Amino acid sequence: MIQIIGNLAGAIALLLWSVRLVRTGIERGFSGPLRTGVRRASQNNATAAGSGLIAAIAMQSSTAVAMLVAGFVSAGTLPLGSSLAVILGADLGSAIAARILLTPISALVPLLLVIGVTFFLKGRTRRAKQSGRIVIGIALVLTSLSMIRVATAPLQDSQATEVVFSYLAQDLLTSFLIGAVLAWATHSSVATVLAVVAMASEGLLLAPVAAAIVLGANFGGATIPVLLTLTGTQAAKRVMLANLFIRGGGALLALLALLQWQASIALLGSTAAVQSINLHLAFNAVVLFAGMVFIRPALHIVSAVLPNAAPSKPRRISALDPTLTDPDRALACAAREVLEMGEQVHGMLTPVLGLFRDWDEDVLTAIRESEDEVDRMHFEVKLYIARLQEGVLTADQARRAMDIASISNHLEDAGDQVSTNLIDFAQRLHANGLSFSDEGWRDLCDFHDQVMSNVQLGLNVLMTGDAEAAIQLVEEKDRAREAEQRLQAHHLDRLRSGNTASVETSSLHQETIRALKQVNTAFTYVAYPIVEATGGLLSSRLATPDDAS
């Protein structure tokens, strides 16, 4: 029995990791186009739901799409109604992804592994390598499902297993709770459903039990974004709670229906495995179409539950410890403080573009307070580094101290771009009663989103020191420069066509793009010491693979 449990645990662990591998490949190789596509397609609720569906199929996770949406909502670039529609579409998309992965194509696993490994090892571009990662992940998902079936086969003859699952058949509420806990614990309703269907296909789970666990997984999956946005903006929390009301409430209603009409589940297929996956698909389809009707009422309800409030902000304790005499530990403290600086600037950049559309004094106050905090941290970091340099440092320690000071300078400049320039542009726009053209606003949202993605990557690099991510960040600097040139050309085209809104806001539009580019450049400098240390940076450009070798 111990060996069986160990085999099953290993198979489920591989399944979780494989699903994450696919999602990581999508995020690292195609996050930019995916983010832009989702936001651009979300101009109305119908297209928003479609964009969420496609994104979830690609990322194999409705939670990942929900977190994407949380960023848009916090930035003020996506309305609450459209945001909720994206998540409802993503719920159905994750169900479709699960169904696709259950397609009996295990014979293709060797071929998928060969293709995936070849692309990952031999690919010349980041996207080629990440495409290989995605294919490998899909192959391993199929492998893990086969392992689950093999691991659970001996359990059919176990008396203890028969007792447990006989009890669950009589207590579907417990089965529902098990599914909810599993989805919450693994942060993946897709993996939970795949594991349940695999076990049901071996006759280990009766159809009602599998159905109840699947419904519980849907409830648990809806709670994950709520928990992940507890420290987010009020708008983001409202969207996630509204999704919980619709999807989670639907799961509870479906459970009540299952308790009343267990025999009716036979209408969904001939076996327990087919019935459970078809229930998963049907449930999320119904939730999507019914939820589209209740988007506005659901948001009204959560707005009453989560009213606007100005929570008190506790005083932050500095990471700088003046009592330390060990240079390495002191430099680690300075690095923590600089990371907090980056987080503060990230928090300032997130909502600033929304001020160009809807002026909010509370947002302005929060940005100004954060800027004061960034200025204070910048001053203290400089003094801290200066005191460290008065002592005896090794060459590596001295270089690291200078790198930290330089990064601190760049982050402080990024904060100034947000709190001074971008705020000033937004104020001038409102003072003159102007607004950007629809095309111009879309371009600004695209660029802001690209910069936000690079800022998040920069913070990750600052925290982990990962060389691969650092190289990607330097590459993104070039892409941001190309994007700026492309957007400036779009703007000139609108001016030539006589677009009135573009003419009136010409200087503000161009200055906003330049300010966002400066923020992007400031965060890019986080990567340079790491890339230079690996030999991957020339004096004026990234080294090619031949150069680096």
Side-chain angles (χ1 to χ4, degrees):
M1 179 59 72
I2 295 177
Q3 183 179 1
I4 294 174
I5 294 175
N7 291 339
L8 180 59
I12 293 175
L14 178 61
L15 174 61
L16 292 173
W17 185 74
S18 303
V19 171
R20 181 179 179 83
L21 191 65
V22 175
R23 185 166 68 248
T24 301
I26 294 290
E27 291 172 348
R28 292 185 179 180
F30 305 94
S31 61
L34 189 65
R35 290 169 64 94
T36 302
V38 169
R39 190 178 42 74
R40 281 198 170 192
S42 301
Q43 301 306 310
N44 61 67
N45 290 351
T47 57
S51 69
L53 185 149
I54 294 171
I57 292 175
M59 302 182 77
Q60 298 186 11
S61 173
S62 58
T63 300
V65 178
M67 292 301 97
L68 197 67
V69 168
F72 295 148
V73 174
S74 299
T77 57
L78 195 61
L80 297 189
S82 297
S83 301
L84 182 53
V86 171
I87 298 175
L88 292 173
D91 294 337
L92 178 57
S94 67
I96 294 174
R99 183 65 188 89
I100 293 172
L101 291 173
L102 287 167
T103 303
I105 54 173
S106 57
L108 296 179
V109 168
L111 177 61
L112 292 175
L113 287 173
V114 170
I115 294 174
V117 170
T118 300
F119 269 79
F120 186 76
L121 295 180
K122 300 297 184 181
R124 304 288 292 181
T125 66
R126 176 167 53 88
R127 286 187 175 175
K129 288 181 176 292
Q130 298 309 320
S131 296
R133 186 190 298 269
I134 294 167
V135 175
I136 293 171
I138 293 173
L140 293 180
V141 167
L142 299 174
T143 301
S144 65
L145 293 176
S146 297
M147 291 173 61
I148 291 174
R149 295 187 185 100
V150 172
T152 55
L155 293 176
Q156 298 180 52
D157 301 324
S158 170
Q159 187 174 0
T161 304
E162 183 178 351
V163 171
V164 170
F165 288 107
S166 295
Y167 169 76
L168 291 178
Q170 303 300 319
D171 187 358
L172 296 185
L173 178 59
T174 298
S175 300
F176 179 90
L177 293 175
I178 289 173
V181 170
L182 287 174
W184 174 81
T186 61
H187 273 41
S188 176
S189 59
V190 171
T192 301
V193 170
L194 289 175
V196 168
V197 174
M199 288 188 283
S201 67
E202 292 300 312
L204 193 62
L205 297 176
L206 297 177
V209 176
I213 296 176
V214 164
L215 292 175
N218 279 278
F219 184 90
T223 65
I224 298 170
V226 175
L227 298 174
L228 292 178
T229 55
L230 286 178
T231 58
T233 64
Q234 202 77 339
K237 288 190 284 189
R238 286 173 180 170
V239 173
M240 304 311 159
L241 187 58
N243 179 61
L244 177 59
F245 280 173
I246 294 174
R247 190 184 184 193
L252 292 172
L253 291 176
L255 176 64
L256 292 176
L258 180 64
L259 291 172
Q260 289 292 325
W261 301 289
Q262 288 190 30
S264 299
I265 195 172
L267 298 174
L268 295 175
S270 57
T271 66
V274 174
Q275 290 166 13
S276 54
I277 188 60
N278 285 345
L279 172 66
H280 186 48
L281 279 169
F283 168 76
N284 282 284
V286 171
V287 165
L288 171 59
F289 293 114
M292 296 290 282
V293 178
F294 293 103
I295 283 179
R296 192 177 297 274
L299 289 174
H300 281 310
I301 292 173
V302 298
S303 295
V305 174
L306 296 173
N308 288 323
S312 58
K313 186 177 181 180
R315 182 179 179 275
R316 197 190 68 84
I317 299 175
S318 174
L320 303 176
D321 186 349
T323 65
L324 289 176
T325 58
D326 182 351
D328 286 329
R329 292 182 61 189
L331 289 171
C333 289
R336 284 173 52 202
E337 192 75 353
V338 170
L339 177 62
E340 177 59 27
M341 281 185 65
E343 294 285 2
Q344 290 279 352
V345 177
H346 177 241
M348 295 162 59
L349 180 65
T350 297
V352 72
L353 198 64
L355 294 178
F356 285 78
R357 273 286 171 97
D358 300 301
W359 187 257
D360 190 324
E361 289 292 336
D362 291 336
V363 173
L364 174 64
T365 300
I367 290 176
R368 290 276 166 80
E369 290 177 351
S370 293
E371 171 59 13
D372 291 341
E373 187 75 3
V374 168
D375 288 342
R376 183 189 64 79
M377 287 189 286
H378 175 237
F379 178 73
E380 292 179 354
V381 167
K382 287 195 300 182
L383 288 182
Y384 194 73
I385 294 295
R387 292 193 189 102
L388 280 178
Q389 291 174 327
E390 291 174 359
V392 178
L393 301 179
T394 66
D396 287 342
Q397 290 169 344
R399 183 169 55 252
R400 188 181 179 203
M402 290 302 299
D403 289 341
I404 292 173
S406 177
I407 293 171
S408 173
N409 291 336
H410 288 299
L411 294 182
E412 194 271 338
D413 178 65
D416 286 342
Q417 291 292 336
V418 176
S419 66
T420 303
N421 292 340
L422 290 174
I423 290 293
D424 177 61
F425 301 155
Q427 287 178 322
R428 285 161 55 188
L429 194 73
H430 287 282
N432 295 322
L434 302 175
S435 61
F436 296 117
S437 66
D438 290 341
E439 296 84 357
W441 175 248
R442 185 183 64 190
D443 283 351
L444 287 178
C445 288
D446 286 349
F447 196 51
H448 177 263
D449 185 50
Q450 183 176 353
V451 173
M452 283 287 295
S453 180
N454 292 341
V455 166
Q456 291 171 337
L457 179 60
L459 292 175
N460 291 342
V461 170
L462 188 57
M463 182 173 65
T464 64
D466 182 70
E468 181 182 353
I471 291 173
Q472 179 182 345
L473 183 58
V474 176
E475 290 174 344
E476 292 297 337
K477 180 184 178 182
D478 293 335
R479 293 191 179 92
R481 182 176 63 250
E482 294 168 359
E484 181 209 16
Q485 295 171 350
R486 183 172 63 253
L487 296 183
Q488 297 289 14
H490 289 175
H491 180 67
L492 292 176
D493 288 340
R494 291 192 293 272
L495 292 180
R496 283 193 290 268
S497 67
N499 188 309
T500 304
S502 296
V503 172
E504 293 174 338
T505 61
S506 179
S507 61
L508 288 176
H509 187 277
Q510 292 179 307
E511 289 170 357
T512 299
I513 292 177
R514 280 194 289 268
L516 288 172
K517 182 193 172 188
Q518 288 301 315
V519 173
N520 186 86
T521 300
F523 274 85
T524 303
Y525 280 107
V526 168
Y528 277 77
I530 300 172
V531 179
E532 187 175 7
T534 65
L537 191 69
L538 301 180
S539 59
S540 61
R541 62 179 177 87
L542 277 172
T544 64
D546 292 337
D547 294 326
S549 61

